[in-house]
Every structure is written in structure tokens, then in C-alpha cells.
């Protein structure tokens, strides 16, 4: 029977070549075996050691047989099981702040697709009430900050976040996930970055032009720096809390930092990210930290300066070019366009191969360049995982 797997034509050598400054070149991906109609060969899944999941091994630069794979927002609205659960529990915070529901939702994609990373179902704004910042997530509108922080007096009322007191369900859920998943996959935690959290809190929710936080940054920078420092201390503590309760890697989302120019990123985001990383590495030196900033092409060379172990690329950056620009001393994650999952299975397969070939066989975690979109066909997600897990370097 004829196969539908596209030929694995290697990228041009100019794309894979590394400069002396960037370190040695990564070896290109050898051919991948496929079965009929583009389905990946059904082989025993490549697993990490008993002590260490595959994803953690890959991030640490160890030799692995295939790229580990998970997807941002893999637990969520595209899954029928999640939609059914939402009918019973319609409020997002009801779902994300109940330990049993957090565990159930986090495990939904694990039970169906067996990704190499199982990420905690939560939200980057979950710590806000513990910092004296009331918020809610309104269906059809998104996050709403009831009292936006726009004055020095308001920022002075922000408290340091103590995770054990305010979000014990996060620690409980992470511990349960470790028991459920064991080391067949890495349990992943996540936090919001200081500038992104500040953006929500100053703007009052999501924004299109970020005029309010930029007004604060450029007219009253001392107020913004005070707020950023509070988020920095609190998020460093939150990462440590997650690690102490079972998270084997933690992703930092700086979704709105790319609204800053490079010079402003260096003032209002970079130093605070670096503070977080330095603080975490003092107490948890072996905890892999991943940084994701959507639309980060203009800031790419600055992201490794934070000290993170992995930079997660969005789909607007060519993977081979991203590797060149980042250098060889940092792992990468990504970066298939989430829209690809609306294409044919053959097209999905082709894009997976292209990404993996350009990333090379060392230090790559296969993922999307953003979260899964609502309405993505579940069968296409299943195909993504099947093809990805069938790859062999």
C-alpha cells in the first residue's frame, strides 16, 4: 500500500549551518518511517529514564531518540470531554481552582494523546487574589481586573503572594499529577511574567493598544517598576512552590512583553525575568525553565539573556533561523502554526517534519507556536501526536 508520508527533503545547508559564534551545527534529522496513509509507525513510545522524563532529558541536551511533544492549551476547549465538563461547571475559576477538576482537566489530553508533557490546568492570573488584586474571567470577554492598578497608592496595596496560603489546590493537583503520570511524561507548571501580569492589572484586562501601561511606563516609571518588582518576587516564589510540589519544568508566559520596543523590553521585562530565573536557580538549579513570548521575533536574541533553559518560538519565526539567532547553548520549543491543525493530515505531517528537521536532534521540544485554537478537530490533534511520537532521529 502506498504511503502518504511526504519525502524528507533536508533543508538547505545554509539554513542548518551554524556560525562559529553560535556553536557547532546540529545534525539533521534522518528519515522517519511511516505506515500507510501518513500514519506514524506504531512503535513502543520512547520514554525517559525511570528517574527522568523524555522532555526533561531533551531540555538538558541529552541524546534522545525523538523530540518530546506536548501542546500549549492541550487541555481545553477543543476537547469534547472538556466541553461536557464545562456544561456542569460553567465558571472558569470554578474549574481552575478546584483540585479535583484541575486534575481531571489536566489529565484529559494525557489519557487520549499521551503527550510528553502534562501541564497544569490553571491561569496566569490565578495568583492575583492572593496579592490583593480581585479579578474574574468572564465568558466572551476574558480577564477582568475590577480595580485596575493605576496609582502609586493602588500599587502599595499589592501584597506578596504566598502560594501555600492562597492556592493550596495547585500544590495538591501537581502532587496528584505526578502520582498519575509518574515519569512517563513531565508534569509542567507555569506562571505569568511580571510585565504581562502588570499589563493585565493596569489595563484592567486584555488590551489592543496597551496605552495605559505604556503611559505609566513612560510618564511614571517608578510606579511600574514597583509593581513589576512585586510580581517578580511573587512569581519566583510561585515557581519554587510548583517545583516543590511536583512540577518538573515550569513555563513563564510573557505574552505582552512583545508590545515593548527592544529598548523598553530591556528596562521593563528583561531584568525582572532575569531576577526570577536567578532566584529560582539558587534554590532549584536543576529545574528547567521555559520562556514563551508570542511575537518575539524582534526580541529573539535578548530572550536567552534571561537565563532560561528553553526559548519557545512562535510560528512567525522560521525554526532554522531561530536556532541560528539563539545560538546552540539553549534549547528551543515549538513552533508549528496552530492553524496547521485545521489542514489535512498529510499537510500536518509535512509541517511536523519540516519543524523537526530544522530544529535538529538536540535540545528541541516539539510544540505549537501558540495555544491550540478553539474548534481544532480532535482527530487532527491525535494525528499530530501520533506522527510526532513516531519520529526517530
Amino acid at each position: 500500500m502506498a504511503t502518504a508520508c511526504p519525502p524528507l527533503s533536508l533543508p538547505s545547508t545554509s539554513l542548518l549551518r551554524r556560525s562559529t559564534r553560535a556553536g557547532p551545527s546540529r545534525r539533521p534529522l534522518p528519515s522517519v518511517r511511516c505506515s500507510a496513509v501518513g500514519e506514524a509507525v506504531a512503535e513502543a513510545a520512547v520514554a525517559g529514564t525511570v528517574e527522568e522524563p523524555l522532555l526533561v532529558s531533551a531540555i538538558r541536551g541529552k541524546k534522545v531518540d525523538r523530540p518530546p511533544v506536548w501542546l500549549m492549551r492541550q487541555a481545553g476547549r477543543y476537547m469534547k470531554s472538556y466541553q461536557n465538563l464545562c456544561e456542569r461547571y460553567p465558571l472558569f475559576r470554578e474549574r481552575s481552582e478546584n483540585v479535583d477538576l484541575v486534575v481531571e482537566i489536566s489529565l484529559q489530553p494525557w489519557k487520549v494523546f499521551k503527550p510528553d508533557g502534562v501541564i497544569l490546568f490553571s491561569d496566569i492570573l490565578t495568583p492575583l487574589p492572593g496579592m490583593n488584586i480581585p479579578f474574574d474571567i468572564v465568558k466572551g470577554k476574558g480577564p477582568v481586573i475590577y480595580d485596575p492598578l493605576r496609582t502609586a497608592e493602588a500599587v502599595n496595596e499589592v501584597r506578596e503572594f504566598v502560594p501555600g496560603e492562597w492556592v493550596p489546590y495547585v500544590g495538591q493537583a501537581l502532587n496528584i499529577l505526578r502520582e498519575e503520570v509518574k515519569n512517563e511524561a513531565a508534569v509542567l507548571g507555569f506562571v505569568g511574567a511580571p510585565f504581562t501580569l502588570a499589563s493585565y492589572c493596569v489595563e484592567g484586562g486584555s488590551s489592543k493598544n496597551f496605552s495605559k501601561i505604556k503611559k505609566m511606563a513612560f510618564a511614571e516609571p517608578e510606579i511600574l517598576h514597583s509593581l513589576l518588582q512585586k510580581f517578580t518576587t511573587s512569581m519566583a516564589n510561585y515557581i519554587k512552590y510548583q517545583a516543590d510540589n511536583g512540577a518538573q519544568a515550569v513555563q513563564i508566559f510573557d505574552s505582552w512583553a512583545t508590545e515593548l520596543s527592544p529598548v523598553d523590553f530591556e528596562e521593563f521585562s528583561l531584568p525582572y525575568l532575569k531576577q526570577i530565573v536567578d532566584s529560582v536557580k539558587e534554590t532549584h538549579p536543576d529545574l528547567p525553565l521555559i520562556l514563551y513570548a508570542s511575537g518575539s521575533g524582534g526580541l529573539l536574541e535578548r530572550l536567552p539573556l534571561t537565563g532560561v533553559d528553553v526559548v519557545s518560538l512562535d510560528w512567525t519565526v522560521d525554526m532554522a533561523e531561530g536556532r541560528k539567532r539563539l545560538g546552540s547553548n539553549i534549547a528551543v520549543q515549538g513552533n508549528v502554526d496552530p492553524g496547521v491543525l485545521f489542514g489535512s493530515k498529510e499537510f500536518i505531517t509535512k509541517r511536523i517534519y519540516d519543524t523537526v528537521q530544522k530544529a535538529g536532534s538536540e535540545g528541541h521540544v516539539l510544540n505549537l507556536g501558540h495555544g491550540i485554537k478553539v474548534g481544532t478537530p480532535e482527530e487532527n490533534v491525535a494525528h499530530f501526536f501520533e506522527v510526532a511520537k513516531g519520529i526517530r532521529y
Side-chain angles (χ1 to χ4, degrees), residues 30 35 72 84-85 94 104 111 119 124 172 180 236 239 241 243 272 309 323 339 345-346 352 354:
S35 62
M72 288 183 277
N84 293 339
L85 188 143
E94 181 182 19
E104 181 179 350
K111 292 176 179 177
I119 192 164
I124 63 170
Q172 295 164 15
E180 291 283 338
I239 292 174
Y241 174 79
Y272 297 102
D309 303 283
R323 276 293 209 187
K345 289 182 170 60
E346 291 78 10
I352 292 172
D354 178 67

Side-chain angles (χ1 to χ4, degrees), residues 33-35 39-44 386 389-390 392:
R33 290 165 290 169
C34 294
S35 62
E39 299 298 324
V41 173
E43 299 180 15
E386 189 171 10
K389 296 181 78 171
R392 295 296 178 267

Side-chain angles (χ1 to χ4, degrees), residues 4-243:
C5 296
L8 285 175
S9 56
L10 293 175
S12 69
T13 55
S14 62
L15 287 178
L16 291 176
R17 188 181 300 122
R18 297 286 183 270
S19 67
T20 303
R21 178 178 165 187
S25 62
R26 298 173 183 274
R27 49 189 183 92
L29 180 69
S31 59
V32 179
R33 290 165 290 169
C34 294
S35 62
V37 200
E39 299 298 324
V41 173
E43 299 180 15
V46 177
T49 65
V50 174
E51 298 81 15
E52 185 174 82
L54 178 68
L55 184 145
V56 176
S57 295
I59 290 175
R60 291 179 176 159
K62 297 181 180 180
K63 184 177 181 180
V64 294
D65 291 338
R66 65 169 175 84
V69 56
W70 70 282
L71 303 181
M72 288 183 277
R73 293 184 184 169
Q74 66 188 14
R77 292 172 290 177
Y78 72 99
M79 293 192 74
K80 181 63 176 175
S81 56
Y82 180 77
Q83 296 167 13
N84 293 339
L85 188 143
C86 290
E87 292 178 2
R88 289 181 285 139
Y89 306 97
L91 301 179
F92 179 85
R93 290 189 61 185
E94 181 182 19
R95 300 189 294 273
S96 64
E97 298 179 14
N98 176 295
V99 62
D100 294 328
L101 295 178
V102 169
V103 170
E104 181 179 350
I105 295 168
S106 301
L107 289 175
Q108 283 178 344
W110 165 250
K111 292 176 179 177
V112 178
F113 309 122
K114 287 294 187 291
D116 296 302
V118 174
I119 192 164
L120 176 78
F121 178 77
S122 186
D123 192 86
I124 63 170
L125 303 185
T126 293
L128 294 189
M131 300 184 72
N132 197 29
I133 308 172
F135 89 102
D136 204 354
I137 296 179
V138 179
K139 186 175 181 179
K141 187 173 182 180
V144 176
I145 309 298
Y146 293 114
D147 297 303
L149 308 177
R150 294 175 186 164
T151 65
E153 292 74 20
V155 170
N156 287 338
E157 294 298 315
V158 176
R159 296 190 297 253
E160 183 175 321
F161 181 53
V162 182
E165 294 181 8
W166 285 93
V167 293
Y169 52 88
V170 168
Q172 295 164 15
L174 286 167
N175 275 288
I176 295 170
L177 290 174
R178 281 294 299 274
E179 293 174 5
E180 291 283 338
V181 175
K182 306 200 185 304
N183 271 347
E184 295 178 49
V187 172
L188 308 175
F190 68 93
V191 302
F195 182 80
T196 290
L197 294 174
S199 294
Y200 279 111
C201 293
V202 174
E203 295 288 340
S206 299
S207 178
K208 291 184 178 180
N209 54 30
F210 296 87
S211 59
K212 296 179 178 66
I213 192 164
K214 288 191 176 184
K215 177 182 178 181
M216 181 182 286
F218 303 147
E220 300 177 297
E222 67 282 355
I223 298 177
L224 181 54
H225 281 301
S226 175
L227 180 59
L228 291 170
Q229 189 58 58
K230 291 188 175 191
F231 279 129
T232 297
T233 302
S234 294
M235 291 308 104
N237 291 337
Y238 194 24
I239 292 174
K240 295 172 187 178
Y241 174 79
Q242 293 184 28

Side-chain angles (χ1 to χ4, degrees), residues 221-367:
E222 67 282 355
I223 298 177
L224 181 54
H225 281 301
S226 175
L227 180 59
L228 291 170
Q229 189 58 58
K230 291 188 175 191
F231 279 129
T232 297
T233 302
S234 294
M235 291 308 104
N237 291 337
Y238 194 24
I239 292 174
K240 295 172 187 178
Y241 174 79
Q242 293 184 28
D244 289 341
N245 283 278
Q248 293 162 292
V250 175
Q251 180 154 310
I252 303 169
F253 286 88
D254 208 352
S255 309
W256 303 131
T258 52
E259 293 294 326
L260 294 169
S261 68
V263 66
D264 294 319
F265 175 80
E266 291 176 355
E267 180 176 355
F268 297 108
S269 182
L270 177 58
Y272 297 102
L273 290 168
K274 190 174 188 308
Q275 273 192 56
I276 289 174
V277 174
D278 289 346
S279 177
V280 171
K281 293 297 184 179
E282 283 181 7
T283 56
H284 299 72
D286 297 323
L287 178 70
L289 296 176
I290 307 166
L291 175 60
Y292 175 76
S294 178
S296 59
L299 301 171
L300 208 55
E301 287 82 359
R302 290 167 173 81
L303 301 186
L305 301 178
T306 61
V308 295
D309 303 283
V310 186
V311 169
S312 190
L313 300 175
D314 77 2
W315 74 96
T316 64
V317 177
D318 179 83
M319 176 58 80
E321 294 174 4
R323 276 293 209 187
K324 283 183 182 180
R325 292 173 62 189
L326 290 170
S328 61
N329 295 323
I330 191 164
V332 294
Q333 179 175 272
N335 67 335
V336 177
D337 183 343
V340 166
L341 292 177
F342 289 95
S344 67
K345 289 182 170 60
E346 291 78 10
F347 184 71
I348 294 168
T349 300
K350 180 178 179 180
R351 286 299 179 89
I352 292 172
Y353 289 166
D354 178 67
T355 300
V356 172
Q357 287 180 328
K358 289 178 177 178
S361 61
E362 299 171 10
H364 176 225
V365 177
L366 181 61
N367 205 313

